[in-house]
Amino acid sequence: MSSWVAGFRSAVISPYEQIKLNESRSFADQTVRQVLRMAGGGTQVRVRLTNRYGVAPLVVGAARLALRKNADEIVAESDAPLLFEGRDRLVIPAGAEAVSDPIDLAVTAGTDLLLSLYLPESTGLATFSHEPAEIAYVTNGNETAAASLTLSEEVPARFFVTGIDVRAESSVTVAFGDSWFEGVGTTLGANHRSVDYFNERLTDGWAVNQGIAGNRLLSTEIGESGLARFDRDVRAVPGATRVLVNFGINDLILGAMAGQPPATAAELIAGFTELAERAHAAGLVIHAATIGPYAGCVYPGMPIEETLPTRRAVNEWLRGTDVFDGVFDVAAAVADPERPDFIRPEFDSGDGMHLNDAGAHAMAATMPVD
């Protein structure tokens, strides 16, 4: 019997954080049309909107959903209004979320949908996904029903949306982690993230992407910590039966942007152990990735040399521990054999700490399908 399960997810952050990789923005009397690639399909869909980190109510004057034809152009015959408890206008209080009424729209894995939101009043800085490897189209006025937008601006972020549920019979894997899941370094708009390639390998169910670039397992910013957001972004995902975890690089080096010390091996091991225990308590199977190489990081001010021994120690523990149901060795798969703290040149996006399309493909090959 079919039920509501997650067919698409997009993890969001606050626009008011100290550590930033990308800036949010506000909207007023504008339409935002966003590309949402479905990981799995079903006979009906419902959309999840958010004002989780807003400081004022969010007014949505109109919302529509359609199949994507090309760029910002919709398949006109598929276009349908989104209603919320029967109403086409929605006010989401600060800190709250909303789920649309179901609409009959058959979608399959790999379907691109276009979500159009008209935001008539000033929104303040938007709750957003800051590095989704996809674009949003922004134009003035209410063009939610337009076949294609007039003079649209392209913005590499997502705003006010956390997911789409589908009516289906399926199990869902949650890819939970950082930029190596979200897709930084891969081709914009090409759906070449590691999670996308992983979905091509799955024959039973699908995986939704809850990666946040810069996210840390132990510390807030960028985004709430992995431990803090686990209940919402994994446990509460409808249909979730498994979770794949990729954390560690940011715990070791990102805090330097705010004058914070790196995590220790003992702290990371304790955090990973807690995550495994909480997943098992929720009845979820959990697999963890080894921490990838980053010695070639080109960004100044990062504590690279001093944290590499911690990375090696945690990876040694990961490879030998039984607290997880399995460990997938991403580090070994993408490391330069001659310099194992560095990414292989053919997999390096160019910044020494992110994977390009080929690297994301190699990472996906390590991720367990059952």
Side-chain angles (χ1 to χ4, degrees):
M1 183 176 180
S2 65
S3 58
W4 288 111
V5 299
F8 167 81
R9 282 297 183 272
S10 189
V12 294
I13 67 170
S14 168
Y16 300 105
E17 297 187 351
Q18 177 184 0
I19 302 176
K20 295 178 184 292
L21 302 182
N22 197 359
E23 297 286 346
S24 185
R25 59 184 290 169
S26 60
F27 303 92
D29 188 26
Q30 290 173 298
T31 295
V32 184
R33 180 168 286 180
Q34 307 185 70
V35 183
L36 311 180
R37 165 63 65 98
M38 299 302 295
T43 56
Q44 289 183 308
V45 300
R46 63 185 187 186
V47 176
R48 294 178 175 268
L49 301 182
T50 185
N51 191 24
R52 184 180 300 156
Y53 302 112
V55 296
L58 171 66
V59 178
V60 180
R64 303 185 74 89
L65 191 69
L67 300 175
R68 185 190 195 190
K69 184 173 183 180
N70 183 54
D72 65 6
E73 185 178 1
I74 65 172
V75 176
E77 55 269 29
S78 70
D79 182 45
L82 287 178
L83 303 179
F84 296 83
E85 297 182 347
R87 298 186 292 272
D88 58 5
R89 180 181 172 89
L90 172 68
V91 179
I92 308 177
E97 307 199 346
V99 181
S100 75
D101 300 341
I103 62 173
D104 294 326
L105 180 65
V107 295
T108 60
T111 297
D112 277 346
L113 297 177
L114 288 174
L115 169 67
S116 301
L117 303 176
Y118 173 55
L119 307 167
E121 301 178 15
S122 179
T123 63
L125 290 176
T127 297
F128 73 132
S129 301
H130 67 148
E131 295 281 353
E134 187 54 270
I135 59 173
Y137 302 93
V138 181
T139 194
N140 294 328
N142 183 358
E143 293 203 17
T144 54
S148 59
L149 302 182
T150 305
L151 298 175
S152 59
E153 175 190 0
E154 297 183 3
V155 183
R158 291 195 192 102
F159 305 95
F160 303 123
V161 58
T162 59
I164 297 180
D165 298 336
V166 295
R167 179 77 73 173
E169 295 181 49
S170 184
S171 61
V172 175
T173 297
V174 181
F176 181 60
D178 56 25
S179 58
W180 286 38
F181 279 156
E182 191 172 22
V184 175
T186 63
T187 302
L188 185 69
N191 300 298
H192 287 169
R193 311 166 193 87
S194 61
V195 183
D196 299 317
Y197 286 124
F198 177 58
N199 267 320
E200 294 176 1
R201 298 179 55 226
L202 287 174
T203 57
D204 181 21
W206 56 77
V208 295
N209 194 336
Q210 294 281 46
I212 295 177
N215 199 221
R216 293 181 280 178
L217 176 63
L218 305 175
S219 302
T220 299
E221 296 194 12
I222 293 172
E224 296 175 41
S225 72
L227 291 174
R229 69 185 182 98
F230 175 81
D231 286 349
R232 181 189 65 238
D233 286 352
V234 178
R235 260 185 52 172
V237 171
T241 58
R242 293 198 313 155
V243 53
L244 306 184
V245 172
N246 187 90
F247 286 104
I249 293 178
N250 298 309
D251 290 87
L252 294 174
I253 66 173
L254 188 82
M257 295 178 68
Q260 300 165 348
T264 66
E267 289 168 339
L268 278 168
I269 289 169
F272 278 125
T273 301
E274 179 182 341
L275 205 61
E277 291 172 347
R278 289 170 60 186
H280 287 145
L284 298 170
V285 172
I286 181 169
H287 298 265
T290 50
I291 302 173
Y294 58 85
C297 175
V298 300
Y299 303 113
M302 297 294 184
I304 305 301
E305 288 298 325
E306 55 266 51
T307 59
L308 289 174
T310 305
R311 170 184 174 264
R312 298 182 200 120
V314 175
N315 278 349
E316 183 178 359
W317 173 80
L318 283 166
R319 292 179 178 121
T321 187
D322 60 0
V323 303
F324 297 103
D325 296 289
V327 172
F328 51 108
D329 203 343
V330 174
V334 303
D336 186 337
E338 302 300 319
R339 301 182 304 163
D341 289 324
F342 291 76
I343 297 172
R344 295 174 70 111
E346 64 268 33
F347 292 160
D348 191 341
S349 70
D351 68 2
M353 65 177 296
H354 290 106
L355 302 175
N356 61 16
D357 295 3
H361 192 274
M363 178 178 180
T366 72
M367 296 157 65
V369 297
D370 53 25

